[in-house]
Amino acid sequence: MPKSVLCIPAHRPLLLLLLLCIPHHTTTTLPPPDKGSVNACLLQPTDAIVVVYWAILAPSGFRSTFSLWTNVSHHALNSVFALFEIVCPRTAPLPWLDLIPIVICLALYLALAYVTHATQGFYTYGFLDLQEHSSGIVAAYIIGILVAGIIIFLIVRYVIVLRVWVIETKLGKMGKFSSHAPRRTLHEGEADAELAEKGVRVDDVATK
Amino acid sequence: MAAARRLIAPYSGPFDTTHRFVTSWFLPPAALFAIRTTIALYAFTTFFTIFGWNGAHRMSDASGKTFSYFTHLTNWGIAFYFAFSAMHTLSYWLTGSPFLARWPRALQIAHSMFYSTVVVYAFVVTSK
């Protein structure tokens, strides 16, 4: 059940009263904590406006609102955050060497998934279930995810290459820097690198 | 081998001389810091709200089980990445040199690899 928010002017007190008296679900008071549901009516009478806010959250309703928020936060917003880090900072294209920790951590997670099954008796993902699927199917899923990881690495890497090319090479926007002078002095190799990155066009970003 | 040298090229020589990890092409350092901090706070708040909600509904063991899920582990990585990068951005904004620049090479490389894992795994999670 979705939440409802009502703003009712004070000159309709009867309507207000009716709305307050009609419960949508069985409980009208706060249930014991283990039920996991909240049903609240808030009334704050003022001269000008009466705001009635009722959050009627039955066990299934509340769980769906809460789980909607956690799902959006954990499955949608994380991509938004990652996209922010890909587009907005001046980061260089992902080094190829970083494929190694990416694959290793994926492999470590795979190990964790089976440790979880061995110690706690559940599979985090159905496709890992060796009792349900043959070893061949499970292996295929695992390889599939490895390949997906590598493909995503490639996509992200080349999106960053594109960002650097468009922003720095084409548009010449070399960055917004701190107004404070750096503490340390530049050493020989660093001065060239600094020029190359700040002032002079970087010829081939992809070779980095 | 030339290929091996090319592989480690980003990590050899001076690290991030122009502060690429803590600057933006259009956001001033202060704004970049503010956004990264907000995201980090949001990410941590999400976790602790979930744990609190689980606790209030006598489902605390569900909180423990979240650490077996790739989605949750990735989101912990996101939370800590934004917290640390916000910290580096803040130090850069205020002094012209981020903490990252003064840290040992191993931690600098780790930060770069951390960045790579965050941007890749977030999409692995979404695609799963």
Side-chain angles (χ1 to χ4, degrees), chain A residues 36 62 69 73 79 84-85 87-91 98 102 105 109 116 124 168 176-178 180-181 190 197, chain B residues 11 14 18 20 23-26 35-36 42 53 57 68 70 81-82 92-93 95 113 115-116 121 126 128:
Chain A
F62 190 73
W69 170 67
S73 293
S79 299
F84 169 81
E85 279 293 324
V87 170
C88 299
R90 292 169 55 238
T91 48
D98 289 2
I102 285 172
C105 285
Y109 175 73
T116 300
T124 53
E168 298 184 22
K176 296 270 172 82
F177 297 95
S178 168
H180 298 272
E190 292 175 8
E197 293 203 342
Chain B
Y11 293 125
T18 59
R20 284 186 171 275
T23 49
S24 163
W25 52 274
F26 72 104
I35 292 175
R36 282 174 163 171
Y42 179 81
W53 194 90
H57 295 86
S68 291
F70 189 73
Y81 168 77
F82 277 99
Y92 169 75
W93 171 39
T95 67
M113 292 182 166
Y115 173 81
S116 297
Y121 287 161
T126 309
K128 252 197 189 164

Side-chain angles (χ1 to χ4, degrees), chain B residues 15-53:
Chain B
F15 181 84
D16 196 20
T17 49
T18 59
H19 310 303
R20 284 186 171 275
F21 283 107
V22 293
T23 49
S24 163
W25 52 274
F26 72 104
L27 288 169
L32 184 61
F33 161 69
I35 292 175
R36 282 174 163 171
T37 304
T38 307
I39 292 175
L41 285 174
Y42 179 81
F44 281 111
T45 303
T46 307
F47 278 122
F48 291 112
T49 304
I50 292 171
F51 290 166
W53 194 90

Side-chain angles (χ1 to χ4, degrees), chain A residues 74-88:
Chain A
H74 279 175
H75 288 95
L77 283 181
N78 56 10
S79 299
V80 171
F81 299 154
L83 212 56
F84 169 81
E85 279 293 324
I86 290 171
V87 170
C88 299

Side-chain angles (χ1 to χ4, degrees), chain A residues 68-151:
Chain A
L68 173 70
W69 170 67
T70 58
N71 270 303
V72 166
S73 293
H74 279 175
H75 288 95
L77 283 181
N78 56 10
S79 299
V80 171
F81 299 154
L83 212 56
F84 169 81
E85 279 293 324
I86 290 171
V87 170
C88 299
R90 292 169 55 238
T91 48
L94 309 183
W96 292 107
L97 202 66
D98 289 2
L99 262 173
I100 295 177
I102 285 172
V103 171
I104 289 178
C105 285
L106 279 174
L108 285 174
Y109 175 73
L110 183 63
L112 176 64
Y114 282 105
V115 167
T116 300
H117 174 252
T119 55
Q120 301 195 44
F122 69 95
Y123 281 106
T124 53
Y125 295 102
F127 59 78
L128 294 173
D129 192 339
L130 284 167
Q131 278 75 51
E132 282 289 315
H133 308 289
S134 70
S135 304
I137 299 283
V138 174
Y141 271 105
I142 291 170
I143 302 284
I145 295 206
L146 170 67
V147 169
I150 293 174
I151 290 176

Side-chain angles (χ1 to χ4, degrees), chain A residues 2-207:
Chain A
K3 291 190 292 184
S4 309
V5 182
L6 298 170
C7 288
I8 300 175
H11 62 267
R12 292 206 177 100
L14 192 58
L15 178 61
L16 185 64
L17 203 59
L18 280 171
L19 284 164
L20 283 172
C21 290
I22 298 173
H24 269 214
H25 296 277
T26 52
T27 55
T28 53
T29 55
L30 286 169
D34 60 356
K35 269 203 165 181
S37 73
V38 174
N39 177 331
C41 286
L42 267 170
L43 170 64
Q44 195 176 357
T46 64
D47 285 331
I49 288 180
V50 175
V51 176
V52 177
Y53 175 91
W54 52 344
I56 296 183
L57 304 156
S60 58
F62 190 73
R63 227 165 263 150
S64 80
T65 305
F66 181 73
S67 68
L68 173 70
W69 170 67
T70 58
N71 270 303
V72 166
S73 293
H74 279 175
H75 288 95
L77 283 181
N78 56 10
S79 299
V80 171
F81 299 154
L83 212 56
F84 169 81
E85 279 293 324
I86 290 171
V87 170
C88 299
R90 292 169 55 238
T91 48
L94 309 183
W96 292 107
L97 202 66
D98 289 2
L99 262 173
I100 295 177
I102 285 172
V103 171
I104 289 178
C105 285
L106 279 174
L108 285 174
Y109 175 73
L110 183 63
L112 176 64
Y114 282 105
V115 167
T116 300
H117 174 252
T119 55
Q120 301 195 44
F122 69 95
Y123 281 106
T124 53
Y125 295 102
F127 59 78
L128 294 173
D129 192 339
L130 284 167
Q131 278 75 51
E132 282 289 315
H133 308 289
S134 70
S135 304
I137 299 283
V138 174
Y141 271 105
I142 291 170
I143 302 284
I145 295 206
L146 170 67
V147 169
I150 293 174
I151 290 176
I152 291 171
F153 174 89
L154 290 171
I155 293 174
V156 169
R157 175 172 212 263
Y158 286 104
V159 166
I160 294 179
V161 166
L162 181 69
R163 186 250 294 150
V164 172
W165 179 73
V166 168
I167 299 297
E168 298 184 22
T169 309
K170 280 282 153 189
L171 297 178
K173 290 175 181 290
M174 295 320 234
K176 296 270 172 82
F177 297 95
S178 168
S179 52
H180 298 272
R183 274 189 186 170
R184 54 171 188 75
T185 52
L186 291 170
H187 301 296
E188 207 179 278
E190 292 175 8
D192 295 339
E194 180 122 1
L195 270 176
E197 293 203 342
K198 272 188 173 167
V200 175
R201 229 175 254 186
V202 181
D203 288 319
D204 187 1
V205 182
T207 58

